[in-house]
Amino acid sequence: MEYREQIKKAMDFIEEHLNQEIRAEDAAAAAGFSQYHFQRIFKKETGLPVYQYIQKRRLAQSASLLLYSSMHVIDIAMCLHFESQETFTRAFKKAYGLPPGRYRKTLGNLISGGMDMRNEKIRHWIITGTAPDKYETGIDRKIFHTGTRSAYICSTAEDYEADEYATILQQFSADLYTGKRVRLAAFVKAQEVEGWAGLWMRLDDKFSNTLKIDNMQNRPITGTSEWNLYSCVLDVPKEAKIINIGILLSGKGSVWMDNVSFQEVDKNIPTTDFEIQKVYPDHPENLSFEE
């Protein structure tokens, strides 16, 4: 059974309360689960126990505050609900390799020394689209889900046609995945998306014909939303030769993508194919234009 929508509600609750005490039972209630069921499902969907996920998000927030605010370390620790400055320092050093004060001094010097915070090339990823000149894309070191950076797409023009978009994508062989069900998942944050955005996965044969596709157009990311987990799930047919994965933004707005995963999943997880019969009628209609 698929629990993505319920887990998204729990993640929204967590994002809204990172600077408050978060009890597992409250996050479970936001998802509509019992605490025991929630703990099990959350770990299955995200790969992390709920408290470990919360701590990773708080540590990522603290890393950003250390570099882009003048808050004292102890205030950051208290703001993000760590038990003490010592507890915060131990957890931060384990995650980032440096204690908070030294992290701020070391990386802050790098940034003030002229490091470009955004628009770096993204190793192993391709940046393209129908109107890539109307977007800025690259690595963002200020906004991220966990770790120290994310990939982003941001609109830069005033006007957009309906079919104009930019995408960050990667292509690889399907040989290891034929006959399997696979899932592309990633954490995505959106800001003022007036068109739509989504993860996408496409399976091509040796002639570059599209065999299967899901671009989330039937469940688009719009408006402004905090980090949440999204996915595309497809069965890889034996004819598949190339797997394409990525994120796209159509129209105005900004999206960030972090912690991408690609893996085989169990066949009880439903696929998310774009199905033509669900979009188009079975026969032509209103041919006389009298309706």
Side-chain angles (χ1 to χ4, degrees):
M1 186 173 179
E2 182 70 47
Y3 293 104
R4 277 298 155 95
E5 291 306 314
Q6 294 94 322
I7 295 302
K8 284 179 183 176
K9 292 178 182 178
M11 288 183 172
D12 285 338
F13 176 85
I14 290 169
E15 289 296 319
E16 293 169 5
H17 296 84
L18 283 176
N19 61 349
Q20 302 172 32
E21 180 183 5
I22 302 175
R23 301 182 305 169
E25 53 263 40
D26 294 332
F33 290 136
S34 68
Q35 184 177 343
Y36 171 78
H37 191 52
F38 172 68
Q39 296 269 18
R40 184 173 61 84
I41 295 300
F42 190 93
K43 184 175 181 180
K44 181 181 177 182
E45 293 292 327
T46 68
L48 293 172
V50 61
Y51 282 118
Q52 189 175 339
Y53 175 84
I54 292 168
Q55 185 178 68
K56 279 182 171 289
R57 284 295 298 127
R58 284 175 168 162
L59 288 171
Q61 290 283 81
S62 68
S64 183
L65 289 171
L66 285 166
L67 294 181
Y68 307 109
S69 81
S70 58
M71 289 178 66
H72 296 299
V73 172
I74 189 170
D75 293 333
I76 293 174
M78 295 300 102
C79 172
L80 290 170
H81 231 270
F82 286 89
E83 293 178 3
S84 66
Q85 183 173 342
E86 291 73 23
T87 300
F88 169 58
T89 297
R90 285 196 301 270
F92 191 91
K93 184 177 180 180
K94 183 177 180 180
Y96 289 89
L98 292 171
R102 203 164 142 205
Y103 178 87
R104 167 179 270 168
K105 186 175 295 185
T106 301
L107 296 192
N109 287 341
L110 284 174
I111 293 165
S112 62
M115 179 185 289
D116 186 1
M117 299 307 301
R118 305 179 74 185
N119 215 25
E120 299 176 43
K121 291 183 179 180
I122 310 174
R123 189 181 180 200
H124 299 308
W125 293 81
I126 300 166
I127 297 169
T128 184
T130 59
D133 57 315
K134 289 188 173 183
Y135 296 87
E136 179 183 301
T137 55
I139 294 293
D140 196 322
R141 294 172 180 264
K142 187 174 182 179
I143 297 174
F144 43 82
H145 180 252
T146 58
T148 60
R149 65 193 72 182
S150 67
Y152 75 94
I153 307 174
C154 177
S155 63
T156 58
E158 287 298 320
D159 299 306
Y160 289 86
E161 299 296 329
D163 60 350
E164 291 184 323
Y165 67 87
T167 182
I168 300 170
L169 70 93
Q170 189 168 155
Q171 300 174 306
F172 53 95
S173 172
D175 290 349
L176 296 177
Y177 302 99
T178 53
K180 299 177 181 179
R181 181 165 295 180
V182 296
R183 177 169 63 194
L184 164 68
F187 285 87
V188 178
K189 173 184 170 74
Q191 182 175 310
E192 298 178 351
V193 175
E194 296 182 8
W196 65 281
L199 299 180
W200 63 275
M201 173 165 49
R202 193 185 71 226
L203 309 177
D204 297 341
D205 65 14
K206 63 181 180 180
F207 301 109
S208 297
N209 296 314
T210 298
L211 301 174
K212 294 192 176 186
I213 187 171
D214 175 31
N215 61 7
M216 289 185 58
Q217 196 165 3
N218 60 348
R219 55 192 195 287
I221 300 170
T222 59
T224 297
S225 58
E226 285 300 326
W227 290 106
N228 219 315
L229 187 60
Y230 300 88
S231 64
C232 300
V233 181
L234 296 177
D235 287 326
V236 184
K238 63 181 181 179
E239 301 86 2
K241 292 300 179 183
I242 300 295
I243 298 176
N244 307 268
I245 61 172
I247 185 171
L248 68 84
L249 171 63
S250 177
K252 287 187 177 182
S254 300
V255 289
W256 292 261
M257 178 174 68
D258 201 357
N259 299 117
V260 182
S261 65
F262 184 86
Q263 61 189 137
E264 179 184 1
V265 294
D266 195 271
K267 291 295 178 75
N268 64 3
I269 295 178
T271 60
T272 57
D273 309 48
F274 173 84
E275 297 184 32
I276 294 176
Q277 63 267 29
K278 290 185 178 180
V279 179
Y280 299 106
D282 296 327
H283 50 77
E285 298 174 333
N286 191 25
L287 301 182
S288 65
F289 307 106
E290 298 298 327
E291 292 183 11

